[in-house]
Amino acid sequence: AFDNCGNVDITHEDQVIQGFCPGNYNITRTWTATDDCGNTSTTVQQIEVMDNSAPTLLFAPADYSIDCDEEPVFGVPTYEDNCGTVEMTADDNYSVGDCTIGYDITRTWTIVDACGNEIITQQTITVMANSSTALFFTTNPVDQHIVCGVDLTFDTPAENT
């Protein structure tokens, strides 16, 4: 502000109107300029604050594979948000793998801030049938010589799984 007769004192008052979430609100700022003689002039400024930014993912656990006798252990993603609190939910999805014992577990995390901005990340753990241990027979059937006309009987080999 400019005054042709002296100094000007500038002040402001704010009126805040909350939006639908903590990160969204409007400010009506009224500026008042007052000169040494008490003359005033005002102007109004509208400020709109909006949270359009999703939380930032800082760490996402990596996919990995385990044998069927191991316990799957999921990592935990980390995140930050520029405007406040977030809520993280997890949902597990199981899918059959390439063999009768194997399967995949995919955990999907949804991270949502107070204004509804979200990010999604996943981790898949593949559970395999003892990939480090080969299958083998624990006993083998004995070779036989059978006389013609005698009923055939066969030993069944035992297997290790």
Side-chain angles (χ1 to χ4, degrees), residues 29-94:
R29 179 166 286 172
T30 303
W31 294 93
T32 303
T34 306
D35 68 12
D36 290 339
C37 294
N39 298 313
T40 62
S41 179
T42 61
T43 188
V44 176
Q45 177 185 22
Q46 296 293 329
I47 303 168
E48 182 178 13
V49 179
M50 297 179 65
D51 179 6
N52 293 328
S53 300
T56 301
L57 188 62
L58 302 176
F59 168 76
D63 298 344
Y64 70 96
S65 298
I66 59 173
D67 286 336
C68 65
D69 57 349
E70 295 178 65
E71 187 71 30
V73 177
F74 287 96
V76 178
T78 59
Y79 51 86
E80 65 183 9
D81 189 59
N82 62 342
C83 287
T85 62
V86 297
E87 180 179 324
M88 182 170 66
T89 58
D91 182 43
D92 291 346
N93 182 25
Y94 293 80

Side-chain angles (χ1 to χ4, degrees), residues 123-135:
Q123 180 184 23
T124 299
I125 299 175
T126 300
V127 180
M128 301 181 297
N130 284 333
S131 61
S132 60
T133 306
L135 295 176

Side-chain angles (χ1 to χ4, degrees), residues 92-107 124-128:
D92 291 346
N93 182 25
Y94 293 80
S95 60
V96 177
D98 294 336
C99 64
T100 58
I101 297 176
Y103 59 95
D104 291 333
I105 309 168
T106 300
R107 179 165 286 176
T124 299
I125 299 175
T126 300
V127 180
M128 301 181 297

